[in-house]
Amino acid sequence: MVSVIAISSVSVAAYGVWHLTAKFKHNAVSLGDGKIPSIAALNGAFNVLLVGADNAPGQKHFGAKREGTLNDVNILIHVSADHDKATVVSLPRDLVIAHPQCTDPKTGAVYSAMSAQPLNTAFSRGGLGCVVGTVENLTGLNIPYAALFSFDGTVKMADAVGGVPICVNKAVDDTDSGLKLKKGVTVVKGRQALAYLRSRHGVGDGSDLSRIASQQAYMSSLMRKMTSAGTLADPTKLYGLASAAADSITLSESLANPDTMVQMALAVKSVGLDHMVFVQYPTAEDPNDTAKVIPSTALATALIDRVQKDQAIGLDKDALGLSTKLEKAKGDKAASSTKSPSPSGSATAKADPDVIAGLRGQTAAQQTCSIAKTD
């Protein structure tokens, strides 16, 4: 997901710019009254929100039928001003937060502000623009760029990239998501990739937080694959990937621009795997509903403050998500190459100003295994 921007943008510049851009612009949506940023804005730091929609309009049927569309995957990407680091923040769908007033761009219906509702209800109150506004309201960040992915888009991207290697510590057979995996590493494609990203009952403790850890493992593996294969430097490969995704992604008007996308891709391309950090937005159990979560205020403030100030974010050795562990593959240096400071409280951790003890996540350089759920 994080790499789709890079995939589509460089290819737009290299081949069929206007043909491909027309596809994107056909589905582009407005995020509200804000002005579309100029190209010069990409010379510095920028923020992008990637939204995965459950039951998106027009997509093929996957799983149980649902009423309405939910923004079940919400990923905030911040690229630093020097383009040397990136922070990718996954916000849980069940995060209970305040929602601002939103206006549905299609119907004109106005939805009043709410004090405490799950994040994944935002899309139903005004589409992609409302999701962006809700995350902006939570974080205080300006988010001028956004993209909406359907299940179809995820399937097409997994196929177009030739599959993504993922690892599980033992065999998985999850009838809810349709995920079946053997123990060890499997290159997942198409619906199998989607099943892995959606699985809650096959890995971890069955929570959405566990699923976020799996999604981060998938994204980091995708970035490693594209980096090692030279995909980001190969216009032919990039065009094929972008063309495959063009009909399944809805972009904000600010992002449906070839020049903007090209400059954004070049920025992401320059971020090293060790400096691309995937983190879960810090949460605590909702005292009013154990199935939901609320912001862990102190830790969330520390995280967002670093993002706002464009500062590096380091993870301690216990940072891996609830459903992942480091993979120790023969001859693979990725698992040990990332920065792994000493535990919080040690002299080394205290001396490292980048580490935020208590955050969960991983870097793109870390190769991890999903922990299969035990009955």
Side-chain angles (χ1 to χ4, degrees), residues 126-201:
L128 183 59
C130 189
V131 182
V132 171
T134 303
V135 176
E136 286 183 330
N137 187 64
L138 172 68
T139 63
L141 296 168
N142 177 44
I143 307 173
Y145 308 102
L148 177 71
F149 296 83
S150 68
F151 289 163
D152 292 333
T154 302
V155 168
K156 289 180 180 179
M157 284 304 304
D159 285 341
V161 79
V164 178
I166 59 96
C167 172
V168 290
N169 71 327
K170 67 177 185 178
V172 173
D173 186 357
D174 178 11
T175 56
D176 290 275
S177 67
L179 179 65
K180 291 185 178 181
L181 293 171
K182 63 181 182 180
K183 178 181 178 180
V185 177
T186 300
V187 177
V188 295
K189 299 180 181 180
R191 292 199 176 203
Q192 188 180 31
L194 178 64
Y196 173 74
L197 292 168
R198 296 186 69 205
S199 178
R200 285 195 301 130
H201 303 289

Side-chain angles (χ1 to χ4, degrees), residues 24-25 33 39 44 56 69 77 79 86 100 103 135 189-190 193 195 215 220 224 276 280 315 334 360 373:
F24 282 129
K25 285 191 173 182
D33 298 328
I39 297 297
T69 301
I77 303 170
V79 177
T103 301
V135 176
K189 299 180 181 180
Q215 292 166 355
S220 65
R224 290 195 303 275
M276 181 172 288
Q280 296 179 14
L315 302 172
R360 288 192 176 276
K373 185 178 179 182

Side-chain angles (χ1 to χ4, degrees), residues 28-34 49 105 126-133 136 143-147 251-255:
V29 297
S30 172
L31 297 185
D33 298 328
L49 187 68
L128 183 59
C130 189
V131 182
V132 171
E136 286 183 330
I143 307 173
Y145 308 102
L251 301 176
S252 61
E253 292 173 348
S254 56
L255 193 55

